[in-house]
Structures are given as C-alpha cells and as structure tokens.
Amino acid sequence: MLYGILAATTALLLSALLAALLRVPALRARIVDRRRRTRPVPLLGGLAVVIAVAAVTWGCDWTGVAPLGDDVGGLLVAGSAVAALGLVADVWRLKTRVLVLGMAVAAACVVPYGELGVPGGLLAAAWIVFVAAAFKGLDHADGLAGTVGVVTAFGVGACAALEVMDGLAVLLSVLAAALTGFLMHNWHPARIALGACGSLFTGFVLASAAVVTRAGHDLASSAGVLFALTALASADAVLVLLSRRLAGRPLLRGGPDHLAHRLRRLGFTPQGAVVLLGVAGFSGVLVGVLVHNGWAGESAVMWVAGGALIVVLGLLKVSVHGVRRAGSSQVGAQLRVRNG
C-alpha cells in the first residue's frame, strides 16, 4: 500500500514538473494547438504524462516493487508507440488514416485473443481505436480530457484490482496520478494541453486495460460494461460525427461541435462545463464498476445508454454549424460585391 502511494505521488510530481518544463520549448518550437487562435496552447503536456507513467511504472517493475508481467508490459509498450505516433502528429501533422492504422496495429497486439477469440478480438481492437480517437476529441476543452481520464483510470483500476490484476492496477493508478499532475497546468485557462500524444496514449491505455480486465466474461455483458466505463467519450464522439453528418460537413474537419462547446453556447462557463461533464463521466464509470463486480444488475447499463442518448439528441439541437455557415456566407457575399 505504501509503495503504491509513493509511486502515485512520484508520478504526480514528475508529470507536473515536466509539464512546466516542456511548456516553453513547445512555445518556441510553435508546437501549439492551432484551433485556439486567440490563445496558442503548447501541446507537449501529453509527453510529460507519458514519460511520467513509463518512468514510474517501469521503475516499479525493475525494482520488483510491483512487477507488471508480460501482458501489462506489452500494453505499456504498445501505448508508448501510440504516444510516439501522436507526438509526430503534434509536431508535423499526420493524416487521420495514418493515426488510425497505427493504433489498429497496436491494439491488435494487446488484445487477448485466447479469451475473446479472433472475431471478438478484432471487435475489441476496433473499440480500442474508437475510444483512443474519442479521447483525442476531448482535448479541445481545458481540463476535460485529463479529468475524464483520471475518473476512468480509477474506475478501470478498481476493476483490475478486484480481478487481482495487480500490475494493471498499478499502471492505471500511476496514469491517474500523472494526469492529476498534468491538470495542475491544464485547468482553465490552460497553460499546456495533452495533444495527440497524451490524449491517444490515455485513451488507448484505458480502453486496452478495460478489455483485458473484461476478458473471459460474457461478450454481451462485457460490451455493456466497456460502454459504461467510457460513456462520456463515446457520447462526445457520436455527437460530433452525427452532427457533422447531418450538417453535410466533412467528418474529420474540426469544429466547435463537441459536448463542451454546446454547453458553452447554453451559458456554462468553461470550468462549469468541465465539472458537469466530469460528473457525467464519473456516473458512467461508477455504473461500469458496479456491474463488473456484480454489485448491480446488468440492466443498470441501460440507464447509462439512455442518459447518453438523451444528452446526444438534446445537445444536437444546439446550433453550432449554422452560425458559422451564415457568417461565411455573409463574408463571401461582401467579397463578391467588393470584387465587382
């Protein structure tokens, strides 16, 4: 217990220190979030989280304090490879299909085919990629990806601990601590962001750990638990894809159409929107943990699904694309008049 607290504290402090140190080099190298035109935010916060998690976790394994085991070690290696791919995307920009392909290969390497079978393993790998991409989408708002990541890491870690998967529980507790240290610099107004490096790493590790934890359980019930553990990120991704599809916009083009953006349009402050979404994410994670451990019936997941559906359909009515299109049309008309 004492070693676990020491490891988590080390990860928290190391992540906070590295995030502070990497901010200036990121600004000088112009590795910033180009979506925030009025306030450029450096993107190397994710690198700080990845270094802290890898250093502390491998340190625990090397010293024998908390051996990871081959499966957990492989998961961390695959997650680090995804983080490296995300770092390349932050610095030089990569096409989305390259990121998806890289994550798919990494996910295929960590899925437990022995318990899931080949068809189940392929479905699990696709789900891991989806969740990792969904976490990348959460990085649009200050503090959101980190907050949801901490909540989810604690939930999946609790499931792993009750399954006596000690190495996996250590990895997730260290990840939660590292994200907490990062949040010291990411709360609104953010001084640094996760970027693709940190957000893809976080989503990939959490989704992969959840799949490993549920391996050996019934496929249908596992699908419900996995959804509940990541309901907030999944709802955000579905909302964005659905709204862009209905608006006739390219699915991969960014825009102010995420959950937090729509809550801001309804009058929430940046901090208030993140707190509300954090509570929503915690609710889903809590249900997932209760169902996984048999403390609640599997039907409880339906409440999470119903709530997510209501939120998506309700916020879908909040106008985000129409305003931008109208503004663009007016500007275009003015330019045509000026040009004769």
Side-chain angles (χ1 to χ4, degrees):
M1 182 67 178
L2 179 61
Y3 290 120
I5 295 175
L6 180 60
T9 302
T10 302
L12 186 152
L13 296 176
L14 181 59
S15 176
L17 176 61
L18 289 174
L21 294 176
L22 290 172
R23 181 177 182 273
V24 174
L27 285 173
R28 289 179 177 175
R30 301 302 299 168
I31 307 174
V32 297
D33 188 347
R34 295 174 176 84
R35 294 171 298 180
R36 310 183 194 196
R37 302 180 185 279
T38 60
R39 181 171 57 89
V41 179
L43 292 176
L44 293 186
L47 182 60
V49 171
V50 174
I51 293 175
V53 171
V56 174
T57 306
W58 284 118
C60 290
D61 181 71
W62 180 68
T63 58
V65 171
L68 296 180
D70 294 337
D71 293 340
V72 179
L75 191 156
L76 183 55
V77 170
S80 300
V82 170
L85 191 63
L87 181 60
V88 173
D90 288 332
V91 176
W92 289 293
R93 300 300 180 190
L94 286 179
K95 292 184 178 180
T96 302
R97 62 173 175 268
V98 176
L99 287 174
V100 171
L101 179 60
M103 289 189 292
V105 172
C109 294
V110 300
V111 169
Y113 295 99
E115 292 83 359
L116 298 177
V118 175
L122 294 177
L123 287 175
W127 183 79
I128 291 171
V129 173
F130 172 77
V131 172
F135 264 86
K136 182 177 181 293
L138 292 180
D139 195 38
H140 68 275
D142 296 349
L144 182 56
T147 299
V148 177
V150 170
V151 170
T152 308
F154 275 123
V156 181
C159 295
L162 291 170
E163 292 286 342
V164 199
M165 297 180 175
D166 295 335
L168 194 59
V170 169
L171 171 61
L172 293 167
S173 65
V174 169
L175 174 60
L179 288 172
T180 302
F182 160 76
L183 281 172
M184 295 180 181
H185 305 279
N186 186 241
W187 198 251
H188 183 79
R191 293 170 53 81
I192 196 168
L194 278 175
C197 174
S199 56
L200 291 178
F201 173 79
T202 300
F204 181 89
V205 170
L206 291 175
S208 300
V211 167
V212 172
T213 302
R214 288 297 301 178
H217 292 77
D218 178 69
L219 182 60
S221 63
S222 293
V225 171
L226 293 177
F227 167 75
L229 290 172
T230 58
L232 192 282
S234 299
D236 183 72
V238 170
L239 173 63
V240 169
L241 293 175
L242 184 58
S243 65
R244 291 176 185 175
R245 178 71 175 178
L246 294 175
R249 291 170 56 91
L251 296 181
L252 301 181
R253 179 183 296 175
D257 47 8
H258 292 263
L259 287 171
H261 290 134
R262 295 171 190 269
L263 290 177
R264 290 293 308 279
R265 286 188 176 274
L266 292 176
F268 283 84
T269 64
Q271 299 92 328
V274 172
V275 170
L276 179 61
L277 293 175
V279 171
F282 171 78
S283 300
V285 169
L286 178 61
V287 171
V289 173
L290 293 177
V291 173
H292 172 78
N293 295 292
W295 300 333
E298 295 179 4
S299 60
V301 175
M302 299 304 297
W303 290 97
V304 179
L309 180 62
I310 291 173
V311 169
V312 169
L313 294 179
L315 291 182
L316 192 61
K317 297 180 180 180
V318 178
S319 177
V320 289
H321 297 308
V323 173
R324 294 186 66 185
R325 283 187 169 184
S328 299
S329 299
Q330 293 174 3
V331 172
Q334 292 174 2
L335 289 176
R336 286 192 294 270
V337 170
R338 290 179 182 176
N339 293 332

